Amino acid sequence: MNIVKLSALLSGVVLLAGCATSGMEATGKTEGDPAYAKHLVIHNEPLANVITITDMRSRFKGGLLEVNIELSNLSSSDKSIQYRFSWYDGDNFEVEQGSRSWIPVVLHGKSSVNMQAVAPNSSVTTYKVNVREL
Amino acid sequence: MKLSKQSIQVETGKRLKSAGVLLVAGLLSVSLIGCSKAIKYGDAAEVETTTTSFGSTDLQQIAAKMVDSVLTFPPIVEITSKRRPVMFVDTIKNKTSEHIDTESITDTISSRLLRSGKFRFVDMTKVAALKKQLDYQNDSGMVNQNTATKMGQQIGAEYMMYGNLSSIVKRNSSRKDVYYKFTLKLIHLQSGIVEWSDEKEIRKSKEKSLFGL
């Protein structure tokens, strides 16, 4: 392999490694709400092909909304992902905006992980979780 | 005026020298402009992986885990369902080899607990300032006693929060591995019973790159 081909290959690898991907977004209402619904908005097809939200549960504990989301890795390779919860009140205003940071987590191949979080206060009725690849 | 050959050479040399100085100055200024860094604001919630040292993401992860844990622990849920207990935060012992502002971690945890509406806090770092103000109001003769805040009316804390942060650092020629463990406890002052405790573990590692950079 000549130097030109090698450098082209290396720059391709660097570009791929450096590419930050966006993620998927899931929102859900609390189970007490008659309009309970959960849906998944996928912004990134390649990511959604290998990482998927397999379960979303929520409950009230001590007046605070507690959420558990199961994320599964369909591929056999480990995936480094980040997730972030955001919280909304009954009027769909974000509660404690910016208080939650992105949490890094390693999702091992063919395994799942539970992302758990508790609402910052009792005014929260809805949540949103964003997941993206590192 | 007739100039000698020697004086022409000296004059030419001076001009060349000043031109050289100008060129160097020009290149220097260009290089300085080229090196100047653009300042921009970043997202404080982003994951920070600059080094393996304790960073903002570690602080945020610890605070989130501890707050979620204390707010959902069944005995604490039961206690806070009827009233808002008063607590104070003792120091978090830093047992790592790094300089870490542990007060910043407890500040975040206590702020979130307070804002959850489940707990109230007394700030032991401000006792001296409170005493000074109460002395002024009650003893200085300057304040109308009908409006003065009375002494001896403060509410005593029922719980104390304390803990420690420790680390294990391992390294070899190609890899550095840092393990942090943050432990937080809540003790009932009257009975001395530890009502709640939890830990948060964080592992960070750094591999040397292909070219050893």
Side-chain angles (χ1 to χ4, degrees):
Chain A
M1 186 187 287
N2 62 30
I3 291 176
V4 178
K5 278 183 180 172
L6 181 66
S7 50
L9 181 70
L10 277 174
S11 25
V13 169
V14 168
L15 274 173
L16 282 171
C19 268
T21 52
S22 60
M24 56 179 77
E25 184 179 278
T27 56
K29 289 194 172 183
T30 60
E31 279 155 320
D33 193 322
Y36 170 72
K38 51 187 180 185
H39 59 270
L40 177 65
V41 182
I42 302 163
H43 295 297
N44 183 291
E45 284 294 336
L47 177 64
N49 287 338
V50 288
I51 296 171
T52 182
I53 291 172
T54 44
D55 191 26
M56 293 172 79
R57 290 171 193 275
S58 62
R59 65 179 176 189
F60 279 99
K61 207 169 182 183
L64 300 173
L65 179 65
E66 189 181 15
V67 180
N68 182 81
I69 293 176
E70 190 185 70
L71 204 65
S72 297
N73 181 6
L74 305 176
S75 76
S76 52
S77 59
D78 291 359
K79 292 281 172 193
S80 292
I81 57 149
Q82 302 176 3
Y83 68 90
R84 178 165 71 170
F85 280 89
S86 45
W87 308 96
Y88 301 87
D89 66 13
D91 299 320
N92 216 24
F93 275 69
E94 190 171 353
V95 177
E96 300 283 331
Q97 192 183 26
S99 66
R100 284 280 175 170
S101 58
W102 288 96
I103 304 286
V105 62
V106 176
L107 196 51
H108 295 294
K110 298 285 180 192
S111 70
S112 56
V113 70
N114 283 300
M115 305 179 294
Q116 286 190 333
V118 179
N121 61 48
S122 56
S123 68
V124 171
T125 55
T126 315
Y127 62 91
K128 189 161 84 174
V129 61
N130 287 272
V131 180
R132 66 183 185 184
E133 209 170 359
L134 199 64
Chain B
M1 196 170 72
K2 201 175 178 183
L3 295 168
S4 67
K5 196 178 175 184
Q6 197 179 3
S7 66
I8 290 169
Q9 280 175 341
V10 170
E11 192 65 27
T12 313
K14 278 183 182 171
R15 281 183 186 170
L16 280 171
K17 199 177 172 184
S18 56
V21 169
L22 275 172
L23 187 67
V24 169
L27 284 170
L28 194 64
S29 60
V30 166
S31 66
L32 281 173
I33 291 165
C35 284
S36 66
K37 292 192 173 96
I39 295 167
K40 58 179 183 180
Y41 284 98
D43 182 1
E46 283 290 348
V47 173
E48 175 265 317
T49 52
T50 314
T51 66
T52 51
S53 304
F54 193 84
S56 62
T57 303
D58 306 318
L59 188 154
Q60 288 158 346
Q61 279 191 76
I62 287 170
K65 166 77 191 292
M66 294 298 144
V67 171
D68 287 0
S69 173
V70 75
L71 290 176
T72 52
F73 188 58
I76 301 290
V77 169
E78 195 182 328
I79 293 165
T80 55
S81 65
K82 297 166 195 142
R83 57 200 175 84
R84 295 171 65 205
V86 179
M87 69 162 98
F88 81 97
V89 181
D90 192 36
T91 51
I92 300 291
K93 201 179 281 178
N94 178 12
K95 290 157 72 179
T96 71
S97 53
E98 295 173 50
H99 169 74
I100 296 168
D101 181 9
T102 55
E103 197 180 341
S104 180
I105 306 171
T106 51
D107 278 350
T108 306
I109 293 171
S110 56
S111 296
R112 289 191 185 172
L113 287 176
L114 187 63
R115 292 186 64 78
S116 73
K118 300 287 180 185
F119 288 97
R120 293 176 293 169
F121 284 84
V122 285
D123 191 346
M124 295 311 289
T125 64
K126 287 292 158 199
V127 168
L130 284 173
K131 174 82 169 49
K132 197 175 168 187
Q133 177 59 213
L134 287 174
D135 284 345
Y136 168 74
Q137 291 192 22
N138 289 286
D139 304 331
S140 68
M142 303 278 282
V143 178
N144 179 348
Q145 287 304 294
N146 293 329
T147 63
T149 303
K150 299 286 177 283
M151 294 281 257
Q153 302 293 308
Q154 289 187 2
I155 295 171
E158 199 180 342
Y159 294 93
M160 177 175 84
M161 189 172 264
Y162 66 102
N164 66 71
L165 177 66
S166 58
S167 70
I168 298 168
V169 182
K170 291 270 178 91
R171 72 178 85 208
N172 60 22
S173 56
S174 62
R175 184 182 163 93
K176 184 183 179 187
D177 185 279
V178 187
Y179 166 84
Y180 291 105
K181 190 174 79 170
F182 184 86
T183 309
L184 197 63
K185 294 178 181 182
L186 193 66
I187 192 167
H188 187 243
L189 286 176
Q190 194 172 329
S191 64
I193 299 285
V194 177
E195 289 280 3
W196 168 86
S197 178
D198 206 350
E199 291 179 347
K200 172 67 184 171
E201 296 169 300
I202 293 171
R203 162 154 273 126
K204 295 165 92 174
S205 60
K206 186 183 180 183
E207 299 268 0
K208 263 196 180 166
S209 64
L210 186 64
F211 301 106
L213 295 170

